[in-house]
Amino acid sequence: MVTNRTFTMLKPDSLEKGNTGAILEKINASGFKIVAMKQTQMSRRDAETFYAIHKDRPFFADLVTYMTRGPIVAAILEKENAVEDFRTLIGATNPEDAAEGTIRKMFAKSISENAVHGSDSDENAFIEGSFHFSGREIF
Ligand code: GDP
């Protein structure tokens, strides 16, 4: 099933570097409509829950520390074929492998601090969006 929504987070490094506006502009210019958005900070428990799928990976502790060290911007985005098109827009997990013009190529430092999150399936987009937003925050 293909839906028209995906979920993103601008990760702490993006906010620390003052890249929030530039990244949101690129998202808008690429045809995504923001249907929910907020600046927030994840607790350790939030990050451990959100990234539970990676709990046995060697980088899990570093990932939780990174994602909780400062505020993030969480958003739900709408566009036809949103999940796939947004993954294309952000580029590969490792910015060294990301295509020119992608958000990670432009704004990410490394595989661990890679600027943005994008859901990898429609099912996860729904789960992740629901983790951060209640129904009355989505328009
Ligand atoms: P994504 O879907 O492209 O975000 O990639 P994954 O779901 O595989 O990984 C989730 C997040 O964990 C990534 O966005 C990175 O922030 C982090 N991560 C992934 N692989 C590594 C790694 O090899 N080392 C470290 N330190 N972090 C990683």
mmCIF file of all heavy atoms in Angstrom, residues 11 51 53-54 57 59 62-63 66-67 87 90-94 104 110-114 116-120, ligand 1:
data_model
loop_
_atom_site.group_PDB
_atom_site.id
_atom_site.type_symbol
_atom_site.label_atom_id
_atom_site.label_comp_id
_atom_site.label_asym_id
_atom_site.label_seq_id
_atom_site.Cartn_x
_atom_site.Cartn_y
_atom_site.Cartn_z
ATOM 1 N N LYS A 11 17.630 16.277 12.749
ATOM 2 C CA LYS A 11 18.333 15.749 13.916
ATOM 3 C C LYS A 11 19.129 16.856 14.623
ATOM 4 O O LYS A 11 19.325 17.941 14.070
ATOM 5 C CB LYS A 11 19.227 14.597 13.463
ATOM 6 C CG LYS A 11 18.434 13.418 12.858
ATOM 7 C CD LYS A 11 19.363 12.280 12.465
ATOM 8 C CE LYS A 11 18.591 11.084 11.942
ATOM 9 N NZ LYS A 11 19.496 9.953 11.605
ATOM 10 N N TYR A 51 14.103 4.004 18.144
ATOM 11 C CA TYR A 51 15.119 3.246 17.396
ATOM 12 C C TYR A 51 15.264 1.809 17.904
ATOM 13 O O TYR A 51 16.325 1.191 17.731
ATOM 14 C CB TYR A 51 16.462 3.975 17.470
ATOM 15 C CG TYR A 51 16.543 5.175 16.549
ATOM 16 C CD1 TYR A 51 16.588 6.476 17.053
ATOM 17 C CD2 TYR A 51 16.580 5.028 15.166
ATOM 18 C CE1 TYR A 51 16.668 7.578 16.212
ATOM 19 C CE2 TYR A 51 16.658 6.118 14.312
ATOM 20 C CZ TYR A 51 16.708 7.388 14.836
ATOM 21 O OH TYR A 51 16.793 8.469 13.998
ATOM 22 N N ILE A 53 14.424 -0.931 16.850
ATOM 23 C CA ILE A 53 14.832 -1.910 15.830
ATOM 24 C C ILE A 53 16.358 -2.060 15.763
ATOM 25 O O ILE A 53 16.879 -3.085 15.339
ATOM 26 C CB ILE A 53 14.232 -1.531 14.449
ATOM 27 C CG1 ILE A 53 14.392 -2.674 13.471
ATOM 28 C CG2 ILE A 53 14.837 -0.258 13.905
ATOM 29 C CD1 ILE A 53 13.511 -2.547 12.249
ATOM 30 N N HIS A 54 17.073 -1.004 16.202
ATOM 31 C CA HIS A 54 18.542 -1.037 16.147
ATOM 32 C C HIS A 54 19.178 -1.395 17.486
ATOM 33 O O HIS A 54 20.390 -1.250 17.653
ATOM 34 C CB HIS A 54 19.072 0.348 15.723
ATOM 35 C CG HIS A 54 18.721 0.729 14.319
ATOM 36 N ND1 HIS A 54 18.990 -0.080 13.239
ATOM 37 C CD2 HIS A 54 18.111 1.833 13.806
ATOM 38 C CE1 HIS A 54 18.567 0.518 12.122
ATOM 39 N NE2 HIS A 54 18.024 1.667 12.445
ATOM 40 N N ARG A 57 22.451 -3.293 17.588
ATOM 41 C CA ARG A 57 23.543 -2.835 16.716
ATOM 42 C C ARG A 57 24.634 -2.175 17.556
ATOM 43 O O ARG A 57 24.348 -1.568 18.600
ATOM 44 C CB ARG A 57 23.021 -1.830 15.678
ATOM 45 C CG ARG A 57 21.845 -2.324 14.856
ATOM 46 C CD ARG A 57 22.233 -3.359 13.807
ATOM 47 N NE ARG A 57 22.914 -2.731 12.684
ATOM 48 C CZ ARG A 57 22.286 -2.168 11.655
ATOM 49 N NH1 ARG A 57 20.965 -2.145 11.607
ATOM 50 N NH2 ARG A 57 22.969 -1.623 10.670
ATOM 51 N N PHE A 59 26.176 0.516 17.202
ATOM 52 C CA PHE A 59 26.100 1.978 17.294
ATOM 53 C C PHE A 59 24.897 2.469 18.088
ATOM 54 O O PHE A 59 24.672 3.672 18.176
ATOM 55 C CB PHE A 59 26.108 2.599 15.888
ATOM 56 C CG PHE A 59 24.978 2.137 14.982
ATOM 57 C CD1 PHE A 59 23.721 2.707 15.067
ATOM 58 C CD2 PHE A 59 25.194 1.145 14.031
ATOM 59 C CE1 PHE A 59 22.683 2.304 14.230
ATOM 60 C CE2 PHE A 59 24.165 0.722 13.191
ATOM 61 C CZ PHE A 59 22.905 1.307 13.295
ATOM 62 N N ASP A 62 25.528 5.113 20.893
ATOM 63 C CA ASP A 62 25.927 6.399 20.301
ATOM 64 C C ASP A 62 24.729 7.081 19.642
ATOM 65 O O ASP A 62 24.580 8.307 19.724
ATOM 66 C CB ASP A 62 27.009 6.187 19.233
ATOM 67 C CG ASP A 62 28.359 5.856 19.843
ATOM 68 O OD1 ASP A 62 28.524 6.066 21.057
ATOM 69 O OD2 ASP A 62 29.233 5.374 19.101
ATOM 70 N N LEU A 63 23.880 6.290 18.994
ATOM 71 C CA LEU A 63 22.703 6.843 18.317
ATOM 72 C C LEU A 63 21.758 7.493 19.333
ATOM 73 O O LEU A 63 21.263 8.612 19.106
ATOM 74 C CB LEU A 63 21.993 5.716 17.546
ATOM 75 C CG LEU A 63 20.690 6.056 16.832
ATOM 76 C CD1 LEU A 63 20.890 7.155 15.783
ATOM 77 C CD2 LEU A 63 20.114 4.798 16.154
ATOM 78 N N TYR A 66 23.348 10.741 20.660
ATOM 79 C CA TYR A 66 23.255 11.773 19.603
ATOM 80 C C TYR A 66 21.843 12.343 19.496
ATOM 81 O O TYR A 66 21.645 13.557 19.512
ATOM 82 C CB TYR A 66 23.709 11.129 18.293
ATOM 83 C CG TYR A 66 23.302 11.782 16.993
ATOM 84 C CD1 TYR A 66 23.535 13.139 16.741
ATOM 85 C CD2 TYR A 66 22.728 11.018 15.967
ATOM 86 C CE1 TYR A 66 23.187 13.704 15.516
ATOM 87 C CE2 TYR A 66 22.382 11.574 14.750
ATOM 88 C CZ TYR A 66 22.608 12.922 14.533
ATOM 89 O OH TYR A 66 22.267 13.474 13.326
ATOM 90 N N MET A 67 20.870 11.470 19.428
ATOM 91 C CA MET A 67 19.500 11.926 19.177
ATOM 92 C C MET A 67 18.869 12.640 20.371
ATOM 93 O O MET A 67 17.820 13.285 20.228
ATOM 94 C CB MET A 67 18.625 10.750 18.735
ATOM 95 C CG MET A 67 18.934 10.240 17.336
ATOM 96 S SD MET A 67 18.804 11.503 16.038
ATOM 97 C CE MET A 67 17.059 11.928 16.132
ATOM 98 N N ARG A 87 12.977 9.630 0.760
ATOM 99 C CA ARG A 87 14.254 8.893 0.901
ATOM 100 C C ARG A 87 15.221 9.305 -0.218
ATOM 101 O O ARG A 87 16.421 9.427 0.003
ATOM 102 C CB ARG A 87 14.008 7.382 0.850
ATOM 103 C CG ARG A 87 13.175 6.838 1.978
ATOM 104 C CD ARG A 87 13.897 6.672 3.272
ATOM 105 N NE ARG A 87 14.923 5.657 3.253
ATOM 106 C CZ ARG A 87 15.610 5.283 4.334
ATOM 107 N NH1 ARG A 87 15.377 5.857 5.510
ATOM 108 N NH2 ARG A 87 16.541 4.361 4.265
ATOM 109 N N ILE A 90 16.618 12.796 0.718
ATOM 110 C CA ILE A 90 17.620 12.876 1.796
ATOM 111 C C ILE A 90 18.928 12.180 1.415
ATOM 112 O O ILE A 90 19.979 12.573 1.885
ATOM 113 C CB ILE A 90 17.097 12.368 3.167
ATOM 114 C CG1 ILE A 90 16.806 10.882 3.190
ATOM 115 C CG2 ILE A 90 15.888 13.179 3.595
ATOM 116 C CD1 ILE A 90 16.361 10.381 4.574
ATOM 117 N N GLY A 91 18.871 11.158 0.591
ATOM 118 C CA GLY A 91 20.087 10.483 0.165
ATOM 119 C C GLY A 91 20.502 9.357 1.096
ATOM 120 O O GLY A 91 19.845 9.085 2.105
ATOM 121 N N ALA A 92 21.618 8.720 0.770
ATOM 122 C CA ALA A 92 22.080 7.536 1.507
ATOM 123 C C ALA A 92 22.393 7.863 2.965
ATOM 124 O O ALA A 92 22.738 9.001 3.297
ATOM 125 C CB ALA A 92 23.321 6.976 0.826
ATOM 126 N N THR A 93 22.300 6.829 3.824
ATOM 127 C CA THR A 93 22.566 6.977 5.257
ATOM 128 C C THR A 93 23.928 7.621 5.494
ATOM 129 O O THR A 93 24.072 8.512 6.335
ATOM 130 C CB THR A 93 22.519 5.590 5.944
ATOM 131 O OG1 THR A 93 21.279 4.956 5.611
ATOM 132 C CG2 THR A 93 22.641 5.722 7.450
ATOM 133 N N ASN A 94 24.919 7.154 4.753
ATOM 134 C CA ASN A 94 26.262 7.730 4.853
ATOM 135 C C ASN A 94 26.387 8.876 3.841
ATOM 136 O O ASN A 94 26.319 8.648 2.638
ATOM 137 C CB ASN A 94 27.310 6.656 4.550
ATOM 138 C CG ASN A 94 28.716 7.157 4.815
ATOM 139 O OD1 ASN A 94 28.945 8.368 4.938
ATOM 140 N ND2 ASN A 94 29.651 6.243 4.901
ATOM 141 N N ARG A 104 21.378 14.997 2.834
ATOM 142 C CA ARG A 104 22.524 14.479 3.604
ATOM 143 C C ARG A 104 23.847 14.881 2.960
ATOM 144 O O ARG A 104 24.815 15.182 3.657
ATOM 145 C CB ARG A 104 22.395 12.970 3.778
ATOM 146 C CG ARG A 104 21.371 12.617 4.872
ATOM 147 C CD ARG A 104 21.061 11.158 4.940
ATOM 148 N NE ARG A 104 20.316 10.787 6.131
ATOM 149 C CZ ARG A 104 19.692 9.618 6.284
ATOM 150 N NH1 ARG A 104 19.717 8.726 5.317
ATOM 151 N NH2 ARG A 104 19.048 9.350 7.395
ATOM 152 N N SER A 110 28.512 12.906 8.805
ATOM 153 C CA SER A 110 28.999 11.524 8.850
ATOM 154 C C SER A 110 27.817 10.556 8.892
ATOM 155 O O SER A 110 26.673 10.980 9.049
ATOM 156 C CB SER A 110 29.847 11.320 10.099
ATOM 157 O OG SER A 110 29.029 11.504 11.247
ATOM 158 N N ILE A 111 28.117 9.259 8.837
ATOM 159 C CA ILE A 111 27.043 8.254 8.896
ATOM 160 C C ILE A 111 26.307 8.325 10.225
ATOM 161 O O ILE A 111 25.113 8.046 10.304
ATOM 162 C CB ILE A 111 27.596 6.834 8.631
ATOM 163 C CG1 ILE A 111 26.450 5.839 8.448
ATOM 164 C CG2 ILE A 111 28.548 6.388 9.721
ATOM 165 C CD1 ILE A 111 26.876 4.480 7.929
ATOM 166 N N SER A 112 26.978 8.726 11.283
ATOM 167 C CA SER A 112 26.318 8.775 12.596
ATOM 168 C C SER A 112 25.558 10.086 12.785
ATOM 169 O O SER A 112 24.487 10.102 13.385
ATOM 170 C CB SER A 112 27.327 8.567 13.714
ATOM 171 O OG SER A 112 28.398 9.453 13.560
ATOM 172 N N GLU A 113 26.109 11.185 12.278
ATOM 173 C CA GLU A 113 25.433 12.480 12.414
ATOM 174 C C GLU A 113 24.986 12.916 11.026
ATOM 175 O O GLU A 113 25.687 13.661 10.339
ATOM 176 C CB GLU A 113 26.366 13.513 13.054
ATOM 177 C CG GLU A 113 26.813 13.065 14.425
ATOM 178 C CD GLU A 113 27.300 14.188 15.313
ATOM 179 O OE1 GLU A 113 27.175 15.368 14.934
ATOM 180 O OE2 GLU A 113 27.803 13.873 16.400
ATOM 181 N N ASN A 114 23.824 12.399 10.622
ATOM 182 C CA ASN A 114 23.462 12.536 9.212
ATOM 183 C C ASN A 114 22.236 13.421 8.958
ATOM 184 O O ASN A 114 21.484 13.211 8.009
ATOM 185 C CB ASN A 114 23.326 11.160 8.551
ATOM 186 C CG ASN A 114 22.290 10.294 9.226
ATOM 187 O OD1 ASN A 114 21.632 10.738 10.163
ATOM 188 N ND2 ASN A 114 22.124 9.082 8.742
ATOM 189 N N VAL A 116 19.206 14.258 8.993
ATOM 190 C CA VAL A 116 17.749 14.048 8.901
ATOM 191 C C VAL A 116 17.393 12.566 8.991
ATOM 192 O O VAL A 116 18.177 11.697 8.634
ATOM 193 C CB VAL A 116 17.161 14.580 7.567
ATOM 194 C CG1 VAL A 116 16.997 16.072 7.564
ATOM 195 C CG2 VAL A 116 17.982 14.111 6.386
ATOM 196 N N HIS A 117 16.161 12.341 9.434
ATOM 197 C CA HIS A 117 15.561 11.011 9.393
ATOM 198 C C HIS A 117 14.459 11.010 8.346
ATOM 199 O O HIS A 117 13.761 12.014 8.185
ATOM 200 C CB HIS A 117 14.951 10.673 10.760
ATOM 201 C CG HIS A 117 14.073 9.460 10.734
ATOM 202 N ND1 HIS A 117 14.594 8.186 10.787
ATOM 203 C CD2 HIS A 117 12.724 9.320 10.621
ATOM 204 C CE1 HIS A 117 13.594 7.315 10.725
ATOM 205 N NE2 HIS A 117 12.446 7.972 10.622
ATOM 206 N N GLY A 118 14.268 9.902 7.675
ATOM 207 C CA GLY A 118 13.112 9.727 6.799
ATOM 208 C C GLY A 118 12.601 8.306 6.936
ATOM 209 O O GLY A 118 13.395 7.352 6.886
ATOM 210 N N SER A 119 11.308 8.149 7.111
ATOM 211 C CA SER A 119 10.727 6.807 7.286
ATOM 212 C C SER A 119 11.063 5.921 6.085
ATOM 213 O O SER A 119 11.149 6.394 4.950
ATOM 214 C CB SER A 119 9.204 6.902 7.414
ATOM 215 O OG SER A 119 8.855 7.750 8.470
ATOM 216 N N ASP A 120 11.197 4.606 6.354
ATOM 217 C CA ASP A 120 11.581 3.704 5.268
ATOM 218 C C ASP A 120 10.411 2.902 4.705
ATOM 219 O O ASP A 120 10.611 2.073 3.811
ATOM 220 C CB ASP A 120 12.719 2.777 5.720
ATOM 221 C CG ASP A 120 12.314 1.859 6.860
ATOM 222 O OD1 ASP A 120 11.139 1.909 7.291
ATOM 223 O OD2 ASP A 120 13.177 1.084 7.331
HETATM 224 P P1 GDP B 1 18.468 5.563 7.764
HETATM 225 O O1 GDP B 1 17.142 4.862 7.535
HETATM 226 O O2 GDP B 1 19.122 6.006 6.492
HETATM 227 O O3 GDP B 1 18.366 6.674 8.779
HETATM 228 O O4 GDP B 1 19.484 4.475 8.361
HETATM 229 P P2 GDP B 1 19.307 3.307 9.431
HETATM 230 O O5 GDP B 1 17.851 3.044 9.741
HETATM 231 O O6 GDP B 1 20.137 2.161 8.958
HETATM 232 O O7 GDP B 1 20.023 3.878 10.745
HETATM 233 C C1 GDP B 1 19.369 4.771 11.615
HETATM 234 C C2 GDP B 1 20.356 5.811 12.055
HETATM 235 O O8 GDP B 1 21.395 5.209 12.857
HETATM 236 C C3 GDP B 1 21.116 6.515 10.929
HETATM 237 O O9 GDP B 1 20.376 7.525 10.309
HETATM 238 C C4 GDP B 1 22.340 7.032 11.659
HETATM 239 O O10 GDP B 1 22.041 8.217 12.416
HETATM 240 C C5 GDP B 1 22.630 5.878 12.622
HETATM 241 N N1 GDP B 1 23.570 4.918 12.036
HETATM 242 C C6 GDP B 1 23.340 4.037 11.028
HETATM 243 N N2 GDP B 1 24.420 3.305 10.758
HETATM 244 C C7 GDP B 1 25.378 3.725 11.620
HETATM 245 C C8 GDP B 1 26.743 3.330 11.841
HETATM 246 O O11 GDP B 1 27.284 2.446 11.181
HETATM 247 N N3 GDP B 1 27.407 3.995 12.840
HETATM 248 C C9 GDP B 1 26.829 4.956 13.583
HETATM 249 N N4 GDP B 1 27.536 5.568 14.558
HETATM 250 N N5 GDP B 1 25.540 5.364 13.394
HETATM 251 C C10 GDP B 1 24.832 4.751 12.432
#
